[in-house]
């Protein structure tokens, strides 16, 4: 399996559905690496510890982390299951960005950005990254600029995952501008 496919598979297991290979995540979102390898093997895929190490090291978005002795692994962000990855609360840059599809705009401009199935709304530090997020899906892209400075001044909390993604609970429409 190439690095990209393995990354997608690990994202499914470590963010959303560990039960598909019969494993559990702990409260911190960690999977035991031996359990993970056994579970993957049971599911019929041939993945080694070295393959997992390669994904952690080379993944384009640094989506996964090991603990210090590499006995545990977790996703850095993007979960739909309720885990606590010890996100750092942080003052955001003045502006953040969110890439989506034009077809979501009416609802977003009415309700704001909602976390949908994930634990947080995901925001990007730059427009280029937001464009990439939008282009994951088929349809006309739309980028919103988020007035993070104003949100922060108004008491909204922001977090940054260890791989640099900005997260918050909800972005009300008044802080959003189409760009
Ligand atoms: C949209 C990937 C209608 C929202 C990316 C998005 C990211 C609304 C979709 C990370 C809405 C949720 C997350 C509302 C939000 N009405 N639609 N009120 N509020 N939406 O996948 O931000 O590559 O959960 O705009 O790079 O697309 O997997 O969030 O289109 O960082 O590591 O509802 O996932 O990271 O979709 O992506 P998602 P997202 P990875």
């Amino acid at each position: 399996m190439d690095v990209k496919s393995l990354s997608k598979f690990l994202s499914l297991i470590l963010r959303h559905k560990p039960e598909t290979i019969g494993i559990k995540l702990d409260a911190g979102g960690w999977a035991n690496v031996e359990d993970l390898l056994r579970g993957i093997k049971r599911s019929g895929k041939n993945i080694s510890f070295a393959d997992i190490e390669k994904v952690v090291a080379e993944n384009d978005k640094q989506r996964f982390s090991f603990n210090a002795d590499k006995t545990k692994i977790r996703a850095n962000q993007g979960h739909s299951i309720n885990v606590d990855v010890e996100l750092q609360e942080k003052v955001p840059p003045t502006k953040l960005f969110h890439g989506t599809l034009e077809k979501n705009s009416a609802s977003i401009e009415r309700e704001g950005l909602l976390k949908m199935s994930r634990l947080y709304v995901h925001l990007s530090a730059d427009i280029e990254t937001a464009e990439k997020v939008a282009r994951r899906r088929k349809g006309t892209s739309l980028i919103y600029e988020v007035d993070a400075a104003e949100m922060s001044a108004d008491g909204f909390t922001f977090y940054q995952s260890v791989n640099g993604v900005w997260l918050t609970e909800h972005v009300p429409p008044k802080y959003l501008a189409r760009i």
Side-chain angles (χ1 to χ4, degrees):
M1 200 187 280
D2 60 47
V3 170
K4 193 171 174 190
S5 309
L6 182 53
S7 168
K8 283 198 167 170
F9 184 58
L10 287 181
S11 289
L12 172 78
I13 304 301
L14 298 175
R15 291 171 168 177
H16 310 296
K17 293 182 167 183
E19 70 276 8
T20 53
I21 58 161
I23 67 165
K24 282 192 172 144
L25 307 184
D26 72 13
W30 296 106
N32 177 291
V33 173
E34 281 181 11
D35 290 351
L36 176 71
L37 287 169
R38 262 195 301 268
I40 293 174
K41 199 168 183 184
R42 272 197 308 270
S43 79
K45 294 185 174 65
N46 187 20
I47 304 292
S48 67
F49 178 67
D51 295 329
I52 306 274
E53 271 187 311
K54 195 169 151 79
V55 170
V56 174
E58 295 178 15
N59 185 256
D60 57 343
K61 279 175 73 178
Q62 294 293 302
R63 289 179 177 88
F64 313 103
S65 296
F66 281 122
N67 66 343
D69 64 4
K70 298 190 178 176
T71 55
K72 295 193 223 173
I73 184 172
R74 71 180 173 191
N76 293 322
Q77 37 68 228
H79 299 82
S80 56
I81 43 182
N82 192 17
V83 296
D84 176 7
V85 297
E86 300 139 287
L87 290 167
Q88 295 301 309
E89 188 175 333
K90 225 168 144 182
V91 177
T94 317
K95 303 289 181 201
L96 286 169
F97 302 91
H98 181 85
T100 187
L101 294 181
E102 181 63 47
K103 69 174 176 143
N104 297 329
S105 64
S107 163
I108 289 174
E109 286 161 31
R110 192 172 60 239
E111 305 169 336
L113 291 173
L114 304 176
K115 49 196 176 179
M116 312 304 271
S117 64
R118 303 193 197 247
L119 299 179
Y120 297 94
V121 173
H122 285 228
L123 301 170
S124 308
D126 56 80
I127 296 175
E128 199 191 333
T129 307
E131 277 167 350
K132 279 193 200 146
V133 172
R135 283 200 298 264
R136 283 155 53 235
R137 298 198 168 94
K138 226 174 118 111
T140 309
S141 295
L142 169 62
I143 310 296
Y144 285 104
E145 183 180 86
V146 175
D147 192 344
E150 197 63 24
M151 282 184 69
S152 191
D154 290 346
F156 287 85
T157 305
F158 288 81
Y159 305 90
Q160 196 176 26
S161 64
V162 296
N163 62 333
V165 178
W166 285 91
L167 305 163
T168 195
E169 298 268 347
H170 175 219
V171 181
K174 69 169 178 172
Y175 303 106
L176 291 170
R178 281 166 176 261
I179 55 171

